[in-house]
């Protein structure tokens, strides 16, 4: 791409962003969770998830030295890093986001097969020529992918991240003011963000955006690592201190990870995401095209984050934590053929089973799970955010 500050052409290595394939599999599984559409999963979705799992197992390489599988030569969502300093080839090793999501896909592949009718499962395995030996490799890779941690337990963005130099953020802010596009600034100086612990949007925090804290812990522990939830606030702060927010998506992700520990700051970042195109916060990029990802992300923030909406265990889960500026949320949800109306405040959630193709709707709010009948309404009291566990993400 052309750096507008320097007029120089900079190599584009975004073809190494293999993690995009995991996003496709993630969306397929989310759709299935929301709809319960076994036919879709059987004849379309399962093929996608299984082929992505096959891809990850094929690129992972086993190292007998640590008895771990490694995925090398990739680029994570954070586009500030595409190579190691002074390396003669692009790519990074064991990007945390890439490896965790690869492990997630390999785990979901097994769950996908279990969700299919037995005859269709056998038929699909035959069609795709997936053998028992290949399935065994998927399980092996999915339980031994490598992650790297700093000495204090913070999950490292990629192998060697903690050995990069620290940037003098105050000096760059004083010199340039707006440093959202820190990569262009460094490139114009003849430098590169590859030398520093800086992020456009922190890869590790993206994991908290996609996965609940229990699910992330389950995957990391399945990989054979000890994961202490108490390290989450430290991890969040570590990457917040080193992020330039060069992407409109960064505001969404950081609003998310702060939602239950710093609601005021979370709301400020949420408003920033809302205004990204209205105010053209990146100084001219809106004219090139709207930031649809940030727009969708703000809707997702209200639903999955502030409402605490999650689909698991064949139930719709709600765990609201509304910022002070958001007094209430009203949404109508279509879940597995059921239409549910949800009204949430900071003290209570009211769920109404409006109508549906089934007689009952299974809903969970906090630790309480109920089955609603068509036309039934239920009010749940919710704990105030101030009493919530501080490490909840």
């Amino acid at each position: 791409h052309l750096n507008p500050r320097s007029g120089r052409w900079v190599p584009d290595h975004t073809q190494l962003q293999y993690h995009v394939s995991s996003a496709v599999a993630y969306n397929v599984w989310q759709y299935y969770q929301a709809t319960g559409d076994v036919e879709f999963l059987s004849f379309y979705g399962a093929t996608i998830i299984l082929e992505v799992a096959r891809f990850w197992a094929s690129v992972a390489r086993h190292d007998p030295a640590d008895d771990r599988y490694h995925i090398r030569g990739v680029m994570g969502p954070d586009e500030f890093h595409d190579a190691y300093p002074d390396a003669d080839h692009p790519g990074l090793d064991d990007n945390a986001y890439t490896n965790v999501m690869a492990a997630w896909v390999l785990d979901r592949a097994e769950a996908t097969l279990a969700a299919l009718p037995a005859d269709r499962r056998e038929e699909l395995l035959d069609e795709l020529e997936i053998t028992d030996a290949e399935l065994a490799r998927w399980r092996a890779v999915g339980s031994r992918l490598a992650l790297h941690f700093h000495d204090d337990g913070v999950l490292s963005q990629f192998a060697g991240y903690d050995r990069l130099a620290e940037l003098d953020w105050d000096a760059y802010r004083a010199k340039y003011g707006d440093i959202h596009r820190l990569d262009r600034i460094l490139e114009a100086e003849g430098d590169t963000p590859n030398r520093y612990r800086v992020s456009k949007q922190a890869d590790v925090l993206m994991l908290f955006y996609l996965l609940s804290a229990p699910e992330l812990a389950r995957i990391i522990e399945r990989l054979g690592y000890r994961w202490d939830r108490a390290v989450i606030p430290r991890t969040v702060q570590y990457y917040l201190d080193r992020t330039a927010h060069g992407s409109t998506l960064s505001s969404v992700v950081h609003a998310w990870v702060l939602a239950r520990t710093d609601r005021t700051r979370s709301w400020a970042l949420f408003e920033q995401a809302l205004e990204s195109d209205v105010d053209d916060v990146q100084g001219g990029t809106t004219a090139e095209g709207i930031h649809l990802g940030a727009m969708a992300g703000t809707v997702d923030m209200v639903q999955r984050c502030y409402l605490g909406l999650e689909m698991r265990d064949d139930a719709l889960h709600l765990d609201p934590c509304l910022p002070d500026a958001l007094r209430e949320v009203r949404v109508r949800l279509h879940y597995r053929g059921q239409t549910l109306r949800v009204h949430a405040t900071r003290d209570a959630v009211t769920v109404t089973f409006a109508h549906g193709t089934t007689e009952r709707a299974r809903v969970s709010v906090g630790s309480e799970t109920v089955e609603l009948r068509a036309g039934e309404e239920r009010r749940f009291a919710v704990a105030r955010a101030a009493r919530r566990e501080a490490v909840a993400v």
Side-chain angles (χ1 to χ4, degrees):
H1 65 271
L2 180 67
N3 186 329
R5 286 181 174 268
S6 65
R8 299 173 183 168
W9 287 97
V10 180
D12 183 355
H13 299 303
T14 53
Q15 76 275 8
L16 300 178
Q17 291 184 301
Y18 301 154
H19 62 268
V20 174
S21 59
S22 289
V24 176
Y26 178 88
N27 286 334
V28 168
W29 184 255
Q30 290 296 104
Y31 172 81
Y32 168 66
Q33 289 293 296
T35 63
D37 190 342
V38 177
E39 182 178 4
F40 165 79
L41 190 69
S42 296
F43 294 98
Y44 303 98
T47 300
I48 295 172
I49 293 174
L50 296 176
E51 289 288 18
V52 174
R54 170 177 271 169
F55 166 75
W56 285 126
S58 73
V59 299
R61 295 291 180 267
H62 183 258
D63 186 346
D66 60 2
D67 191 26
R68 287 276 175 190
Y69 288 90
H70 301 266
I71 299 176
R72 299 188 169 98
V74 303
M75 183 177 175
D78 171 29
E79 296 171 346
F80 276 11
H81 294 95
D82 63 0
Y84 286 103
D86 304 319
D88 58 2
H89 59 278
L92 304 161
D93 298 340
D94 293 331
N95 174 261
Y97 177 88
T98 301
N99 284 20
V100 168
M101 291 309 297
W104 181 90
V105 172
L106 290 161
D107 178 63
R108 289 303 85 193
E110 190 169 350
T112 297
L113 288 171
L116 299 179
D119 57 342
R120 178 54 185 157
R121 179 169 59 248
E122 295 305 317
E123 184 180 53
L124 187 59
L125 290 172
D126 185 59
E127 286 177 3
L128 300 179
E129 299 181 351
I130 298 174
T131 64
D132 289 343
E134 186 171 8
L135 290 174
R137 176 175 171 80
W138 293 6
R139 284 190 290 271
V141 174
S143 61
R144 296 297 295 172
L145 275 168
L147 298 176
H148 300 266
F149 298 84
H150 302 171
D151 291 340
D152 61 355
V154 168
L155 180 59
S156 189
Q157 186 157 297
F158 50 80
Y161 182 86
D162 58 339
R163 295 194 296 271
L164 301 179
E166 290 281 17
L167 184 80
D168 189 341
W169 290 88
D170 291 338
Y172 272 86
R173 289 191 178 99
K175 184 176 181 180
Y176 293 101
D178 183 356
I179 60 170
H180 285 89
R181 291 313 305 266
L182 184 61
D183 56 334
R184 292 178 175 176
I185 292 172
L186 290 169
E187 289 162 359
E189 292 183 343
D191 205 344
T192 171
N194 285 330
R195 296 182 55 234
Y196 303 99
R197 290 181 234 180
V198 299
S199 293
K200 180 180 181 181
Q201 55 190 29
D203 289 1
V204 171
L205 301 189
M206 291 281 289
L207 293 170
F208 298 128
Y209 177 79
L210 289 179
L211 307 173
S212 66
E215 188 171 20
L216 178 60
R218 181 181 65 82
I219 292 171
I220 292 176
E221 289 168 357
R222 183 171 179 258
L223 291 173
Y225 295 102
R226 182 177 177 274
W227 179 248
D228 182 358
R229 288 184 63 184
V231 81
I232 294 178
R234 190 160 65 244
T235 301
V236 170
Q237 192 59 51
Y238 180 89
Y239 288 105
L240 278 174
D241 291 342
R242 293 163 177 81
T243 300
H245 302 292
S247 165
T248 54
L249 290 175
S250 184
S251 297
V252 174
V253 172
H254 289 83
W256 184 291
V257 298
L258 291 171
R260 295 176 186 252
T261 57
D262 190 341
R263 289 183 296 166
T264 300
R265 192 175 178 191
S266 171
W267 183 255
L269 286 165
F270 174 74
E271 288 187 308
Q272 183 177 314
L274 279 174
E275 296 166 359
S276 57
D277 282 318
V278 176
D279 292 341
D280 196 8
V281 296
Q282 290 190 336
T285 61
T286 300
E288 301 172 8
I290 60 171
H291 296 82
L292 190 58
M295 289 184 178
T298 57
V299 177
D300 196 40
M301 271 292 301
V302 173
Q303 293 186 344
R304 284 202 308 125
C305 184
Y306 293 147
L307 266 183
L309 176 64
E310 187 182 0
M311 299 166 292
R312 56 182 166 83
D313 304 326
D314 292 321
L316 190 71
H317 295 257
L318 296 163
D319 187 18
C321 184
L322 305 188
D324 293 338
L326 187 62
R327 294 190 301 273
E328 62 178 346
V329 174
R330 294 177 184 268
V331 296
R332 185 171 64 177
L333 303 173
H334 191 64
Y335 172 71
R336 298 196 173 188
Q338 307 150 2
T339 298
L340 304 172
R341 292 197 298 269
V342 177
H343 176 212
T345 65
R346 286 190 289 275
D347 298 308
V349 177
T350 301
V351 181
T352 305
F353 184 1
H355 56 81
T357 57
T358 60
E359 294 183 356
R360 298 173 184 269
R362 193 160 178 260
V363 178
S364 174
V365 178
S367 59
E368 185 178 358
T369 301
V370 299
E371 287 191 347
L372 300 180
R373 295 179 179 274
E376 186 178 356
E377 180 175 283
R378 180 69 66 91
R379 185 180 186 275
F380 304 84
V382 297
R384 285 191 176 274
R387 299 201 299 267
R388 298 274 177 87
E389 185 181 2
V391 299
V393 174

